[in-house]
Amino acid sequence: MKQPCKIAYILKRYPRYSETFIVNEILAHESAGLAIDIFALRPPSDTHFQNIISQVRASVTYIQKPTQGRKSNFLNTLSPTPASYFWAELQETAQIIPDIWQKLAFATGERASVVYQALWLAREVRQRNITHLHAHFASVATSVTRLTSHFTDIPYTFTAHAKDIYHQSVDFKDLQNKIKDSKIVITVSDYNRQYLQENYGKVAQSVKRIYNGIDLAKFTYLSPENRPPKIISVGRLVEKKGLSILIKACYLLKQWGCNFFCQIVGGGELETSLKNQIEELNLSDKVILIGSRPQNEVCELVQNSAVFAAPYIIAKDGNRDGLPTVLLEAMALGTPCIGTNVTGIPELIRDGKTGLIVSQEDEKALAKALKQLLYKSDLRVKLAQSARHLLESEFDIHKNTALLRNLF
């Protein structure tokens, strides 16, 4: 009799306010009857969380570090140290995986914390009869997952997004090994897939593109024909979001005598500098930062706006957005979007068809596009209708997670 499929999701942190795409994916799997256990390498660090996290049924286990350890029959010391915890964990794992001593050579070059967490996870997944491992992001979560897979002989897959592919800190050989050793690699755009195949050669030829999706039943479409002249942008206040460009574009709109109001939702490291920029440009009556908000409130704000601005850029360290879920949500709600030609965004915002695309860091082009959508209700309606149709055909979470389950 075939063993039922039971999946471990391995994440760096869970939950995270900005990673609703992972929660959406897990919920869609659960609605299809898939059994999931979630493992996180770190506890959450956010102060706000999206409402939908409460709907996840999967258990969440935080993988401890060598400085914490767990009770062990092999920890025979009154003053345990990280080394003694590590040694005890290794001996405990050997009780379940006797050949772990031979398999350890595979971990050469890995950080001690990664090896320890992989040992810890290897015991857990064996004891829980996990049949497949899946990690999100090709960074430390996949490092731990790759070792765990080798220790347990349980296959693994991972989803690569953006920072984990393009950031200047990405180690070429390390990512190449992760791709080579995985059962299959998933990424969220054709742009990403092409980049990986061009740069990582033969090992990346089987990379699959599966778009992030959303549950469209939870987002009621409302025609944007009669919307107040409001601009909305939602995201972390970090360089790659290009929000300083949006503020400059708003300055131009004000200079042109346009009637508008812009709200920026989110928190982050650039909050102070963005507030200073707003004050310096005398835009306090036109642009406001309103901090993080729960998803239901964000949806209301988005659906009460004429246009969603996504002036994303490639940051100095190579960091960039992949295919932000917030764009899917805005389009599903009927709010037309303006984006930039960064990574896979033009695959979603198809210029002149499902939204408008402008060049990165071009505040004048952005301002002109914003003005168009603020004043041309027929254009808003045309773009919004086409965008919703695109989501229904290519970005439905239930269709796309079914493709993912087939790979598992």
Side-chain angles (χ1 to χ4, degrees):
M1 184 175 177
K2 189 177 180 181
Q3 185 180 6
C5 189
K6 189 175 183 183
I7 309 297
Y9 260 62
I10 298 94
L11 311 168
K12 182 179 179 180
R13 290 189 190 273
Y14 180 87
R16 291 197 72 177
Y17 180 84
S18 61
E19 293 179 359
T20 53
F21 54 90
I22 295 176
V23 180
N24 289 337
E25 187 173 295
I26 291 170
L27 287 172
H29 285 320
E30 290 185 334
S31 72
L34 185 66
I36 293 176
D37 284 5
I38 300 169
F39 295 90
L41 310 186
R42 314 275 193 276
S45 59
D46 296 327
T47 57
H48 293 74
F49 299 103
Q50 303 290 13
N51 315 63
I52 57 171
I53 289 169
S54 63
Q55 300 170 25
V56 174
R57 298 193 301 271
S59 65
V60 182
T61 303
Y62 294 99
I63 305 175
Q64 295 174 334
K65 295 182 178 181
T67 52
Q68 300 164 316
R70 54 180 160 188
K71 290 182 180 179
S72 169
N73 295 326
F74 294 92
L75 194 62
N76 298 316
T77 175
L78 295 176
S79 302
T81 64
S84 60
Y85 277 128
F86 190 104
W87 183 245
E89 190 63 43
L90 189 51
Q91 293 183 90
E92 289 280 8
T93 304
Q95 300 295 299
I96 297 172
I97 307 172
D99 61 347
I100 193 66
W101 306 104
Q102 291 76 36
K103 289 182 172 181
L104 269 178
F106 187 78
T108 301
E110 289 286 2
R111 286 172 290 162
S113 59
V114 168
V115 181
Y116 177 85
Q117 290 188 306
L119 290 167
W120 201 101
L121 181 59
R123 287 178 59 195
E124 289 291 327
V125 299
R126 273 287 187 87
Q127 290 172 328
R128 300 190 196 192
N129 297 315
I130 298 291
T131 60
H132 186 82
L133 310 172
H134 184 69
H136 267 278
F137 293 96
S139 46
V140 66
T142 299
S143 296
V144 171
T145 302
R146 174 174 173 263
L147 283 190
T148 302
S149 173
H150 182 76
F151 293 159
T152 59
D153 299 315
I154 298 171
Y156 80 95
T157 51
F158 67 93
T159 301
H161 293 269
K163 182 179 181 180
D164 51 329
I165 302 173
Y166 302 110
H167 193 271
Q168 63 185 16
S169 64
V170 173
D171 182 296
F172 177 87
K173 187 65 177 176
D174 179 61
L175 181 51
Q176 186 177 54
N177 286 336
K178 289 169 180 174
I179 296 170
K180 174 175 64 71
D181 294 331
S182 65
K183 179 182 178 182
I184 204 155
V185 177
I186 299 97
T187 194
V188 299
S189 70
D190 287 324
Y191 182 97
N192 284 358
R193 178 176 60 179
Q194 183 177 349
Y195 175 88
L196 290 170
Q197 290 176 343
E198 289 177 353
N199 287 273
Y200 290 86
K202 187 177 179 180
V203 298
Q205 292 312 300
S206 62
V207 171
K208 300 290 184 185
R209 186 270 289 153
I210 299 178
Y211 286 130
N212 287 339
I214 59 173
D215 187 345
L216 291 163
K218 295 180 179 178
F219 295 87
T220 302
Y221 178 86
L222 181 66
S223 172
E225 183 175 8
N226 299 307
R227 300 276 183 97
K230 288 184 179 180
I231 301 164
I232 187 87
S233 191
V234 181
R236 289 182 297 131
L237 308 184
V238 294
E239 184 187 4
K240 67 178 181 178
K241 297 298 182 181
L243 294 169
S244 64
I245 309 300
L246 174 58
I247 293 169
K248 291 177 184 178
C250 288
Y251 175 76
L252 290 176
L253 290 175
K254 185 174 180 179
Q255 295 296 106
W256 298 342
C258 297
N259 176 31
F260 75 96
F261 185 67
C262 178
Q263 292 175 300
I264 298 174
V265 182
E269 61 198 44
L270 296 183
E271 182 176 354
T272 300
S273 64
L274 292 173
K275 283 183 176 178
N276 290 340
Q277 183 185 10
I278 291 167
E279 290 177 8
E280 288 167 5
L281 294 176
N282 196 26
L283 287 173
S284 298
D285 60 330
K286 292 291 187 182
V287 182
I288 185 171
L289 306 180
I290 64 172
S292 299
R293 292 289 189 272
Q295 188 181 35
N296 57 340
E297 189 175 336
V298 171
C299 288
E300 187 177 338
L301 290 167
V302 169
Q303 206 162 46
N304 193 41
S305 299
V307 54
F308 187 103
Y312 307 143
I313 64 171
I314 298 174
K316 295 181 183 67
D317 59 7
N319 195 7
R320 65 197 77 178
D321 265 305
L323 212 60
T325 303
V326 69
L327 290 177
L328 303 179
E329 293 171 349
M331 293 165 77
L333 292 165
T335 304
C337 298
I338 300 172
T340 54
N341 52 348
V342 172
T343 59
I345 291 170
E347 295 171 41
L348 174 65
I349 303 177
R350 300 176 182 180
D351 190 33
K353 297 178 181 177
T354 63
L356 298 178
I357 290 287
V358 298
S359 297
Q360 299 174 59
E361 302 191 68
D362 188 340
E363 62 265 27
K364 189 171 183 180
L366 177 59
K368 287 180 177 179
L370 289 168
K371 185 178 179 181
Q372 270 191 297
L373 291 180
L374 285 170
Y375 291 125
K376 293 185 178 181
S377 62
D378 56 337
L379 179 60
R380 291 201 301 268
V381 171
K382 173 194 165 189
L383 297 177
Q385 288 177 342
S386 296
R388 178 75 189 203
H389 292 324
L390 176 65
L391 295 183
E392 290 168 354
S393 63
E394 297 189 39
F395 293 87
D396 183 291
I397 190 70
H398 298 290
K399 294 177 184 177
N400 293 3
T401 52
L403 297 174
L404 190 54
R405 287 191 295 277
N406 286 337
L407 298 179
F408 292 165

